[in-house]
Amino acid sequence: MTEPHLILLPGMDGTGRLFAPLLRELGVDATVLAHPADRPLDYDALLEDVARHLPPGPLVVLGESFSGPLAVRLAAERDDIVGLVLCATFVRGPRSGALLRLAELVARGAPPAPVVRALLAGFDAPRALVDEVRSAVATLAPGVLRARLRAVRTVDVSSVLAATTCPVLDLRATHDRLVGASARRDVLRARPDAEAQTLGSPHLVAQRRPAEVAALLRAFVERCR
């Protein structure tokens, strides 16, 4: 079988810029598919947009945070997806107080640096990462983040995940203040055979632990051949 091509779907910012540390470590072909920054789209509209831009398969699709439900739906609908990676994400919208606080802040623009550290990147995060998060959010048109947060609150693709048949890798962070432990339980209820891996990190695990995540992805892509 041809080596699967890795597709990376970004988190709430949607730009894909935050995958840069991971891409430097990967060592395998990967494509980042950014979400439109100028239009407030729900999950249905974003799914159509992503599907239009997918290259020919076979594919392994990673959904980071916000994009997890998109990756699940793609894996359920397309035969050319041979592997699904869920990265610090959910199949049912999280109800954490931290997420509600973040929603309040992003409604006013890019979140302040202390909030990025507390909820996303960690208090010991490099300043460059914090600045990149804030810069990525600042590129979005008004209303885009609010629309994405509304979509998160109501999404539930648990039954869709249960209908998938490709291998699943579930990556979690030990200190994730946005996506709690219940998110992994939801995944394992739907797919008890999913490979579960946990790394010591805040929510932005692919940015804070890029070498470890890259190693897990390379191994998973190889198993999906």
Side-chain angles (χ1 to χ4, degrees):
M1 180 179 176
T2 304
E3 179 82 8
H5 186 75
L6 181 61
I7 302 296
L8 304 177
L9 303 180
M12 186 69 72
D13 70 287
T15 65
R17 288 163 45 177
L18 302 182
F19 280 131
L22 179 63
L23 290 170
R24 287 193 291 267
E25 299 283 351
L26 263 177
V28 299
D29 288 338
T31 297
V32 177
L33 294 183
H35 302 318
D38 58 343
R39 289 168 285 154
L41 303 178
D42 61 12
Y43 275 123
D44 288 340
L46 286 169
L47 183 68
E48 292 180 9
D49 183 76
V50 169
R52 283 196 299 269
H53 293 92
L54 286 175
L59 305 172
V60 171
V61 176
L62 178 149
E64 179 186 48
S65 190
F66 170 79
S67 286
L70 291 174
V72 169
R73 291 179 62 180
L74 287 168
E77 295 176 8
R78 297 178 62 105
D79 293 336
D80 57 351
I81 293 178
V82 298
L84 169 65
V85 183
L86 301 174
C87 182
T89 188
F90 45 85
V91 292
R92 290 193 303 156
R95 300 291 187 268
S96 70
L99 182 64
L100 295 175
R101 175 60 176 155
L102 184 62
E104 294 172 1
L105 290 166
V106 298
R108 308 169 196 163
V115 174
V116 173
R117 291 184 181 278
L119 301 183
L120 298 171
F123 292 106
D124 61 341
R127 180 174 178 177
L129 174 59
V130 175
D131 290 345
E132 185 68 359
V133 171
R134 301 188 71 238
S135 175
V137 171
T139 66
L140 304 181
V144 169
L145 274 177
R146 288 193 292 273
R148 290 175 187 171
L149 285 161
R150 284 195 301 271
V152 164
R153 292 192 190 105
T154 59
V155 72
D156 187 344
V157 293
S158 305
S159 61
V160 181
L161 178 61
T164 60
T165 58
C166 65
V168 176
L169 171 62
D170 186 61
L171 297 178
R172 298 285 156 185
T174 53
H175 306 301
D176 193 332
R177 298 188 64 188
L178 291 185
V179 180
S182 63
R184 168 161 283 174
R185 292 195 293 270
D186 291 337
V187 169
L188 294 179
R189 272 194 293 266
R191 284 293 304 267
D193 60 329
E195 177 187 350
Q197 297 284 352
T198 304
L199 298 173
S201 172
H203 180 67
L204 295 181
V205 61
Q207 292 73 29
R208 293 302 312 274
R209 296 290 182 268
E212 294 95 326
V213 171
L216 290 169
L217 290 178
R218 286 193 298 271
F220 183 70
V221 169
E222 178 62 28
R223 289 196 296 277
C224 291
R225 286 174 63 93

